[in-house]
Amino acid sequence: MPRPILQVLLALALVLAANHYWDPEPGKRPDQETSERHVALPKTYVQQARSWSFDEQGNLSDMLEAERVDQFSKGNYSMVIEPRFYSHSKDRKTWSATAERGRFEHGRERLLLRKNVVLSHDQTGTRMQSHMLDLNLVDKLAQSNKPVTITQGENRTTADGMVASLEQETIVLKPNVESIYVQSPRATGP
């Protein structure tokens, strides 16, 4: 047999053998480790997210912004990076909350803020700082079981925790409350 025909037959045999043994389709079922990693990954993620909630009358009630939101199907929750939350009450008073990270539980409508949390009453300038804050969006309650520091102007109050009603605009402090009040300077006349 001439040499070129032998080379063509050898190449054809190699192609047929490769085609027979090579399967470009991945396995039908992933292994256990791959399945666990797949479940641990977010279902979706959004950069620069913004979400609005409205009441039955069509009025804005809440707004949530974040640098990034990762939604996980297992557990029905989302991890939130640098969340900024705004709550609007019926009399148009607003509360703002910021944190480094958070977790939104979709089924319970609960926002858990963590690390460098600041809750502010926007009209009075009152600020509450803590390491954690749980916001119940249905009841419009903010609660912290960690030490909190509340400031308004030069006045400062610390406590072992607090519950704030965003609708009623009240804050109830937990035990070990300490306050420092600075008297406002009086205007002096002639």
Side-chain angles (χ1 to χ4, degrees):
M1 216 182 251
R3 191 170 178 106
I5 294 177
L6 185 60
Q7 288 176 343
V8 169
L9 287 176
L10 182 60
L12 184 60
L14 286 174
V15 167
L16 289 175
N19 191 25
H20 176 70
Y21 289 109
W22 183 55
D23 183 12
E25 297 282 325
K28 300 290 184 226
R29 296 209 272 148
D31 62 5
Q32 183 67 25
E33 287 181 20
T34 303
S35 295
E36 289 172 5
R37 282 194 312 268
H38 182 70
V39 168
L41 293 174
K43 184 170 100 175
T44 58
Y45 71 92
V46 179
Q47 300 276 7
Q48 302 293 320
R50 182 178 287 168
S51 169
W52 294 276
S53 297
F54 298 89
D55 63 15
E56 293 81 25
Q57 291 77 33
N59 298 318
L60 180 64
S61 64
D62 301 320
M63 185 169 47
L64 178 63
E65 297 176 337
E67 291 300 311
R68 180 181 169 112
V69 177
D70 294 340
Q71 183 182 9
F72 296 86
S73 53
K74 184 177 181 179
N76 195 23
Y77 70 95
S78 294
M79 296 303 294
V80 186
I81 306 299
E82 293 185 26
R84 295 171 305 280
F85 174 76
Y86 307 96
S87 177
H88 299 262
S89 63
K90 293 175 185 169
D91 58 357
R92 298 185 184 238
K93 303 278 173 106
T94 59
W95 292 79
S96 303
T98 61
E100 287 186 26
R101 64 180 184 267
R103 175 183 168 123
F104 182 71
E105 296 175 349
H106 299 274
R108 296 174 65 191
E109 291 192 49
R110 187 172 169 208
L111 179 61
L112 310 169
L113 299 177
R114 301 296 185 259
K115 200 166 184 187
N116 296 322
V117 179
V118 176
L119 175 67
S120 301
H121 186 271
D122 297 330
Q123 283 67 41
T124 64
T126 302
R127 293 171 41 101
M128 187 280 306
Q129 295 174 296
S130 184
H131 292 290
M132 59 85 66
L133 183 71
D134 293 351
L135 286 160
N136 182 323
L137 303 181
V138 175
D139 298 331
K140 298 268 192 171
L141 290 176
Q143 180 174 348
S144 179
N145 294 323
K146 298 289 183 188
V148 297
T149 301
I150 299 172
T151 56
Q152 184 177 23
E154 297 293 318
N155 301 322
R156 181 175 184 224
T157 303
T158 59
D160 286 346
M162 66 95 207
V163 177
S165 171
L166 306 182
E167 283 290 327
Q168 302 298 319
E169 300 183 62
T170 59
I171 299 174
V172 176
L173 299 175
K174 297 206 175 171
N176 298 319
V177 177
E178 293 183 16
S179 295
I180 299 172
Y181 292 102
V182 177
Q183 186 174 1
S184 298
R186 291 186 175 192
T188 57

